[in-house]
């Protein structure tokens, strides 16, 4: 068996992201699921933009702080210890608001793993 133990703090953060992103699944040699840790200070968002995925299911497990998620159905607050899930084609934008009292730390899980399939979403004004 080929087991892995990965400490996210030992990984390099991904450049050009709105917050601190560490790619866990890649470091563990996993290719059937995407697992990432995001740490966002107040005013930072997790993804690059309001978006949806055509085929990927996503789940965000909040480790600390409160994650805020903008959706077409309204804004959601996801407290520490809770999970937010988005099915394929469900627009969302996860963020830590400017007026937050603390950073938010999240483990994001996506399956199947995809690259470049995030479709920008423009909400109706």
């Amino acid at each position: 068996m080929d087991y892995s133990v990965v400490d996210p703090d030992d990984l390099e953060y991904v450049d050009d992201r709105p917050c601190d992103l560490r790619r866990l699944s890649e470091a563990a040699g996993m290719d059937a699921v995407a697992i990432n840790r995001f740490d966002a200070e107040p005013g930072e968002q997790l993804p690059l933009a309001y978006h949806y995925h055509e085929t990927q299911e996503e789940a965000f497990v909040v480790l600390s702080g409160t994650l805020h998620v903008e959706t077409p159905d309204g804004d959601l607050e996801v407290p520490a210890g809770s999970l937010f899930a988005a099915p394929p084609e469900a627009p969302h934008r996860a963020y830590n608001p400017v007026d937050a009292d603390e950073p938010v730390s999240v483990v994001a899980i996506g399956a199947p793993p995809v690259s470049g399939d995030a479709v920008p979403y423009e909400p109706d004004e």
Side-chain angles (χ1 to χ4, degrees), residues 101-116:
D101 294 331
E102 60 186 339
V104 64
S105 184
V106 174
V107 171
I109 303 159
V114 292
S115 179

Side-chain angles (χ1 to χ4, degrees), residues 30-49:
M30 301 175 77
D31 58 11
V33 63
I35 305 173
N36 299 305
R37 188 186 77 186
F38 292 93
D39 294 302
E41 295 293 327
E44 294 179 335
Q45 63 182 23
L46 278 61
L48 293 171

